[in-house]
């Protein structure tokens, strides 16, 4: 069995693939430069809690890279659906925090819009809304 990288063939698949690529790039940022990624997200790691960097490299980059690369390498609608629902729940968690934790900031509004776009692209493809 030969392995070939499945290249997107339709507009909808290109949009879903773009969301997966953004996810992989975020995963690489957390994997290779977690301090920079935390700064970009306005998070601060305490010097005495260096294990927080391991969370960025391990847990955060692991999910981003795993799901994003599976989408790119396998190009299956159900995997794109998993990516879309992951971003959708990320946006829902942010919205919940904005409502209950007092995190109603311009940064969170921009982030929620980006997360909803990254969720909508693969979900629209997986559910057949985009050709």
């Amino acid at each position: 069995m030969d392995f070939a990288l499945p290249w997107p063939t339709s507009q909808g698949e290109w949009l879903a693939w773009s969301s997966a690529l953004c996810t992989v790039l975020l995963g690489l940022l957390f994997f290779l430069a977690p301090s920079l990624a935390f700064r970009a997200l306005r998070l601060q790691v305490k010097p005495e809690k260096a294990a927080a960097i391991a969370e960025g490299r391990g847990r955060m980059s692991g999910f981003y890279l795993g799901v994003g690369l599976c989408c790119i390498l396998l190009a299956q609608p159900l995997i794109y659906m998993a990516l879309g629902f992951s971003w959708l729940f990320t946006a829902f968690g942010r919205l919940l925090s904005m409502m209950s934790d007092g995190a109603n900031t311009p940064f969170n509004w921009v982030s929620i819009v980006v997360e909803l776009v990254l969720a909508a692209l693969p979900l629209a493809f997986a559910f057949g809304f985009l050709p």
Side-chain angles (χ1 to χ4, degrees), residues 85-97:
F85 278 119
S86 296
W87 280 115
L88 191 63
F89 278 105
T90 300
F92 179 69
R94 187 175 302 275
L95 181 65
L96 189 62
S97 181

Side-chain angles (χ1 to χ4, degrees), residues 69-125:
L69 285 174
C70 280
C71 287
I72 290 172
L73 295 175
L74 301 174
Q76 298 295 313
L78 289 176
I79 298 175
Y80 281 119
M81 191 182 298
L83 176 67
F85 278 119
S86 296
W87 280 115
L88 191 63
F89 278 105
T90 300
F92 179 69
R94 187 175 302 275
L95 181 65
L96 189 62
S97 181
M98 289 168 69
M99 293 187 321
S100 61
D101 301 331
N104 193 2
T105 64
F107 176 80
N108 278 336
W109 280 106
V110 170
S111 295
I112 203 167
V113 168
V114 170
E115 291 159 357
L116 287 173
V117 168
L118 289 172
L121 296 176
L123 287 175
F125 171 69

Side-chain angles (χ1 to χ4, degrees), residues 5-9 13-14 17:
L5 181 66
W7 205 244
T9 57
E13 193 173 3
W14 270 110
W17 187 87

Side-chain angles (χ1 to χ4, degrees), residues 11 25 30 37 53 58 80 106 126:
Q11 181 183 7
L25 292 175
F30 273 107
I53 296 292
Y80 281 119

